Amino acid sequence: DAKTTQPNSMESNEEEPVHLPCNHSTISGTDYIHWYRQLPSQGPEYVIHGLTSNVNNRMASLAIAEDRKSSTLILHRATLRDAAVYYCIRGIGGSQGNLIFGKGTKLSVKP
Amino acid sequence: SQTIHQWPATLVQPVGSPLSLECTVEGTSNPNLYWYRQAAGRGLQLLFYSVGIGQISSEVPQNLSASRPQDRQFILSSKKLLLSDSGFYLCAWKAPGPTTQYFGPGTRLLVL
């Protein structure tokens, strides 16, 4: 099964860090791990992606376990605008790079 | 920079009518293109992808079809819409190689 496992929902307080977990125990060596987030009635927004090493960008950090069977998206300081559904996705290896979406984690941010 | 457009933004169609949704990408060449559908409260389901002009791969059997008449144009069609075709349709593009996909704003389709 190419899908990942994420908690259905999480809550965070504004200005606090958020750690969103994801399990992908059947990932293969060439599959990238992608994170997207989606606000209601909008298309998914790219957040970050990586293969083996931890990754940082202006939006978030991605911590990938050494065995690559799990990863964690880290939002360093949650804001109200970070409230969204977060999808952790395996990018299937190959030139087409298909993404298999699961149900994601609905993140709520409390002021 | 690259941009992706979809239209229309919203569409209400009767059952049995035809459908044509268009997606265009600017600022890149030879992108991989994708059509997804998202039913209410659900995740995204990949419908079609294309790695080049005239090359279409279908992920799920359905009454929809896709075409790529130009390098940066991707069209989703149906000859006769079903109630179950209602949903949020998203187009995405990806540059060749190990990069990620970028999504358009989507088209919300309601079949009555």
Side-chain angles (χ1 to χ4, degrees):
Chain A
D1 185 0
K3 290 187 179 177
T4 59
T5 303
Q6 298 177 255
N8 290 333
S9 62
M10 290 184 65
E11 279 190 354
S12 172
N13 294 318
E14 197 175 13
E15 301 295 318
E16 291 184 355
V18 181
H19 291 231
L20 296 166
C22 179
N23 288 323
H24 28 78
S25 58
T26 60
I27 196 168
S28 69
T30 58
D31 294 347
Y32 278 75
I33 301 155
H34 303 253
W35 283 84
Y36 286 80
R37 69 183 184 183
Q38 187 178 23
L39 295 170
S41 299
Q42 295 187 22
E45 176 187 24
Y46 167 75
V47 178
I48 201 166
H49 77 292
L51 184 62
T52 55
S53 303
N54 294 346
V55 185
N56 299 293
N57 66 21
R58 64 175 179 82
M59 290 181 71
S61 295
L62 176 59
I64 301 172
E66 195 170 336
D67 63 6
R68 296 206 339 119
K69 293 185 177 182
S70 65
S71 61
T72 302
L73 179 71
I74 303 166
L75 306 179
H76 296 286
R77 289 180 62 192
T79 69
L80 297 178
R81 290 180 297 176
D82 290 325
V85 177
Y86 285 79
Y87 294 100
C88 166
I89 302 158
R90 282 174 55 183
I92 306 302
S95 62
Q96 62 267 25
N98 290 351
L99 303 179
I100 309 298
F101 280 78
K103 294 184 179 180
T105 297
K106 184 174 183 179
L107 175 66
S108 302
V109 180
K110 295 183 290 185
Chain B
S1 64
Q2 300 85 8
T3 55
I4 179 168
H5 304 278
Q6 287 186 244
W7 62 87
T10 305
L11 191 60
V12 181
Q13 292 284 95
V15 169
S17 63
L19 174 74
S20 181
L21 303 181
E22 188 165 346
C23 170
T24 58
V25 182
E26 296 176 355
T28 187
S29 296
N30 195 30
N32 290 355
L33 296 172
Y34 308 82
W35 277 113
Y36 292 84
R37 177 171 60 201
Q38 185 173 34
R42 307 284 295 275
L44 278 72
Q45 179 186 36
L46 178 63
L47 302 176
F48 301 94
Y49 68 90
S50 171
V51 298
I53 296 174
Q55 301 179 59
I56 308 295
S57 296
S58 174
E59 289 294 297
V60 292
Q62 58 213 320
N63 71 320
L64 300 171
S65 62
S67 62
R68 185 169 176 174
Q70 300 180 40
D71 181 45
R72 290 169 289 177
Q73 183 185 33
F74 205 22
I75 296 172
L76 183 69
S77 304
S78 174
K79 292 182 179 178
K80 284 187 177 183
L81 283 169
L82 307 173
L83 288 174
S84 58
D85 291 324
S86 294
F88 193 37
Y89 287 82
L90 290 149
C91 180
W93 74 274
K94 184 182 87 68
T99 66
T100 194
Q101 296 180 23
Y102 297 93
F103 286 81
T107 293
R108 189 160 301 280
L109 172 67
L110 179 60
V111 182
L112 300 174

